[in-house]
Amino acid sequence: MACFERVSPALREILTRIHRAERPLEVDHHVHEFGSVHYHVKHSVTDPVYTYLSVSTPLLSSQGLPISSHLPQHTLEMVNGIFPGVMEALVPPNEGYQLTLKLDISRIPRDGKASTKMISDIASVQSALVSTQLKEILRNVESREVGYGIYKPIKLMYHPREPFFVVKQPAKTTAIFPMRFKEKEDVIIATAFFQELMDVGSSEAFRKAPHCIWSPIPPAELRGEPIEDLSTNGGFLSFDITLRHVQGKKLEKTVWSLLNVYTFVKWHVKSSRGFVQRRMRMRLDKLVQPLHDVGNEEGDDHRETRKKTKKVDGGCTNVRKWMRVSKKKILGRNLELGNKMKRIRSRIKIHCFSRLRRKWLRMPKFSPVTRYMKLE
Amino acid sequence: MANSLRLYLTCIRNTLEAALCLQNFPCQEVERHNKPEVELKTSPELLLNPVLICRNEAEKCLIETSINSLRISLKVKQADELENILTKKFLRFLSMRAEAFQVLRRKPVQGYDISFLITNYHCEDMQKQKLIEFIVQFMEDIDKEISELKLSVNTRGRLVATEFLKQFI
């Protein structure tokens, strides 16, 4: 599913097309993607060497406020460090975007695999931006001890109305996701999924995976948070992230998985509903079949009886048919004869004579004596 | 088949055999109308006593008979919330397609999950024994289908959870 991929498929396709074009192309594309991400790709014929890529993405905000409308310096340095000769972040970026990159497409090698990898890495710049922010927060969070050794949770928002909390503790960092769904059916399907998730997570095979807990009530770490953040209908899903999950290359995967927890759960709920609907449709025919068989058996019986009666009455029907045909013919002949006689009688045809005849040459009507007058 | 289920279905079958003696009876209230009396319930002399067969608190079957029609209402067992929503969805799906079933009612009787309405015309078109077999088989199939759906949803959830956690390893 496209929303789980780091690489933007549309952006990759556009960059590949520009890279492989034999002649310079005029390109000015706006691409809108899942998660309110907006790309603007511009490549001009007058300046065929450089391609300009602007990125607008919802930044991770802490405590409801954006961290900054512009990217921090170290993020820009990180972006510049991905492909030093090929990609350069422009300061300031274009208006309405957090980042504008100047790409030198000609420096991308022409051979298949290397060019594909490089273009894919460029097309995943948005995921790198957001992941960097969360990595920075996880590394540099100042844990403020509150009384009994409970660390204050940090509220983060990747998508609006979907905040999650990160609680840094001595041996681990806990990511807590309050779950909200629009429909009751979604809540029930998701609850079944969370229970399976806990079950699988506690098995021997997934000993190394983060410990996963689901509870219908807010966990103890969120005590003291505003009530609107703690009122949910889907419970709270928590992951305990330890040092093992953030070492080396695993950090990228862990951060990306945490950012996409809500998307993943919603995708599973939607797929389950579709699966149930498809299965019900398949079963409908099977359930109806016995009734149709009953009806067909009855129909077969009727058809058999009708066939039998047809065989017995065969002779009579034939006679009836013959009689019918003869009657028709006789009537037709009579009509023809009558018309012929009329034609013979009135050979001379005078125009409008029939009308005249009807009006003036009417035979007087003799009414039969049916009424009697009373004689006084 | 569980013993209690077999007894329950046998009881329903026997009751239906006794109740499915329908004949054509025009409406007494309105001229030239012919309506299923079990739905109208305007003339008590045309109605028989309804029979309620309970397997347990959650599963029951109500059979209401009249001179020209018979109504069977079923309450299907729902052990948990997931079975509850699956049953509701599935039976609503079937009720919306009631014309395919001919004897199915579009809306179940209040307090029940699904209802059938059999009239004298159905009995004329179809054999009585086959109709009864269909109803009983339908009850068994529904139970089986709900259980399979629940199992499929849980299995699917398990597979998805496995794939999700693999990303962290």
Side-chain angles (χ1 to χ4, degrees), chain B:
Chain B
M1 203 196 300
N3 206 26
S4 64
L5 178 64
R6 197 186 303 132
L7 290 171
Y8 176 58
L9 293 176
T10 309
C11 184
I12 290 173
R13 187 183 278 115
N14 294 340
T15 312
L16 285 175
E17 277 178 10
L20 256 177
C21 298
L22 308 176
Q23 63 185 43
N24 188 25
F25 194 88
C27 182
Q28 293 183 135
E29 312 284 328
V30 183
E31 240 181 59
R32 299 175 76 174
H33 277 214
N34 198 320
K35 301 170 187 174
E37 294 296 333
V38 76
E39 294 284 348
L40 296 181
K41 295 193 173 158
T42 48
S43 308
E45 67 274 12
L46 302 175
L47 304 173
L48 279 76
N49 290 329
V51 177
L52 181 65
I53 304 163
C54 298
R55 186 184 174 191
N56 48 47
E57 283 172 11
E59 277 185 88
K60 53 185 177 177
C61 170
L62 176 67
I63 299 174
E64 300 161 284
T65 323
S66 70
I67 188 161
N68 63 354
S69 50
L70 168 78
R71 189 163 70 185
I72 309 155
S73 305
L74 302 171
K75 182 108 180 92
V76 180
K77 81 160 162 50
Q78 290 147 43
D80 54 21
E81 282 190 349
L82 184 59
E83 271 192 21
N84 192 350
I85 60 154
L86 289 174
T87 307
K88 226 183 252 180
K89 273 180 94 71
F90 189 43
L91 295 179
R92 191 168 179 271
F93 178 84
L94 295 179
S95 300
M96 289 293 120
R97 288 149 185 82
E99 66 276 358
F101 287 92
Q102 299 177 57
V103 293
L104 192 62
R105 206 167 176 259
R106 277 200 180 272
K107 205 174 165 187
V109 167
Q110 200 160 6
Y112 293 86
D113 296 319
I114 194 161
S115 297
F116 294 89
L117 177 67
I118 302 174
T119 63
N120 56 294
Y121 296 112
H122 296 130
C123 292
E124 285 165 19
D125 287 341
M126 297 179 247
Q127 282 185 23
K128 176 178 155 180
Q129 282 301 324
K130 300 279 182 182
L131 259 177
I132 295 169
E133 275 306 314
F134 166 73
I135 302 281
V136 172
Q137 188 64 39
F138 184 90
M139 289 172 69
E140 282 183 41
D141 287 345
I142 286 291
D143 274 344
K144 203 167 54 168
E145 184 55 32
I146 301 293
S147 303
E148 281 178 11
L149 265 173
K150 183 183 173 185
L151 197 65
S152 304
V153 168
N154 284 336
T155 307
R156 204 186 150 80
R158 199 171 188 88
L159 286 170
V160 169
T162 308
E163 287 305 313
F164 180 72
L165 289 176
K166 269 186 191 171
Q167 296 173 68
F168 294 98
I169 298 175

Side-chain angles (χ1 to χ4, degrees), chain A residues 132-351:
Chain A
T132 310
Q133 285 186 281
L134 184 57
K135 276 183 225 169
E136 180 199 335
I137 289 164
L138 289 176
R139 277 192 212 125
N140 298 335
V141 66
E142 287 176 4
S143 55
R144 286 161 274 169
E145 214 173 300
V146 179
Y148 307 96
I150 301 169
Y151 295 85
K152 188 140 175 70
I154 303 166
K155 179 180 166 183
L156 300 170
M157 241 183 302
Y158 181 32
H159 289 295
R161 290 172 298 183
E162 288 178 355
F164 64 99
F165 296 88
V166 172
V167 183
K168 198 150 165 74
Q169 290 168 8
K172 60 183 180 181
T173 303
T174 307
I176 304 170
F177 298 87
M179 290 291 169
R180 291 179 188 89
F181 300 94
K182 283 183 186 168
E183 293 180 19
K184 196 190 167 194
E185 286 177 14
D186 294 352
V187 173
I188 294 166
I189 294 171
T191 307
F193 169 64
F194 296 143
Q195 281 162 355
E196 291 295 333
L197 191 65
M198 278 202 300
D199 210 24
V200 170
S202 59
S203 66
E204 190 58 33
F206 290 93
R207 202 164 26 91
K208 292 182 183 176
H211 182 56
C212 171
I213 304 164
W214 176 77
S215 71
I217 55 169
E221 291 94 336
L222 295 185
R223 213 171 283 168
E225 290 299 313
I227 193 74
E228 57 264 17
D229 292 333
L230 301 183
S231 52
T232 65
N233 58 4
F236 296 81
L237 187 63
S238 310
F239 292 96
D240 291 337
I241 310 294
T242 58
L243 195 63
R244 176 196 290 165
H245 305 117
V246 296
Q247 277 177 332
K249 288 182 183 176
K250 285 185 185 172
L251 177 61
E252 281 284 338
K253 276 188 184 175
T254 303
V255 165
W256 189 243
S257 301
L258 288 176
L259 287 174
N260 284 302
V261 164
Y262 285 119
T263 315
F264 197 85
V265 171
K266 282 182 184 167
W267 167 74
H268 167 68
V269 167
K270 190 178 170 186
S271 314
S272 297
R273 289 182 76 156
F275 165 73
V276 167
Q277 192 75 13
R278 274 195 310 277
R279 207 188 147 108
M280 287 193 305
R281 276 207 191 100
M282 275 164 43
R283 290 295 283 162
L284 176 68
D285 292 332
K286 260 189 173 177
L287 287 169
V288 170
Q289 194 56 38
L291 202 62
H292 285 170
D293 291 341
V294 171
N296 285 342
E297 279 177 25
E298 289 294 312
D300 289 341
D301 290 341
H302 279 303
R303 263 180 248 137
E304 276 181 24
T305 50
R306 264 186 236 146
K307 272 184 191 170
K308 280 182 191 167
T309 51
K310 233 183 180 178
K311 278 182 188 168
V312 167
D313 295 337
C316 297
T317 48
N318 286 340
V319 167
R320 266 187 238 126
K321 271 188 197 171
W322 180 80
M323 289 278 292
R324 250 184 263 136
V325 165
S326 302
K327 235 189 215 175
K328 198 177 171 184
K329 269 192 182 170
I330 291 165
L331 282 169
R333 265 187 233 144
N334 285 349
L335 193 67
E336 271 179 39
L337 194 64
N339 288 340
K340 214 175 181 181
M341 282 171 72
K342 279 184 193 169
R343 262 183 263 130
I344 291 165
R345 279 183 191 165
S346 55
R347 276 190 189 279
I348 303 165
K349 209 171 181 181
I350 301 167
H351 189 60

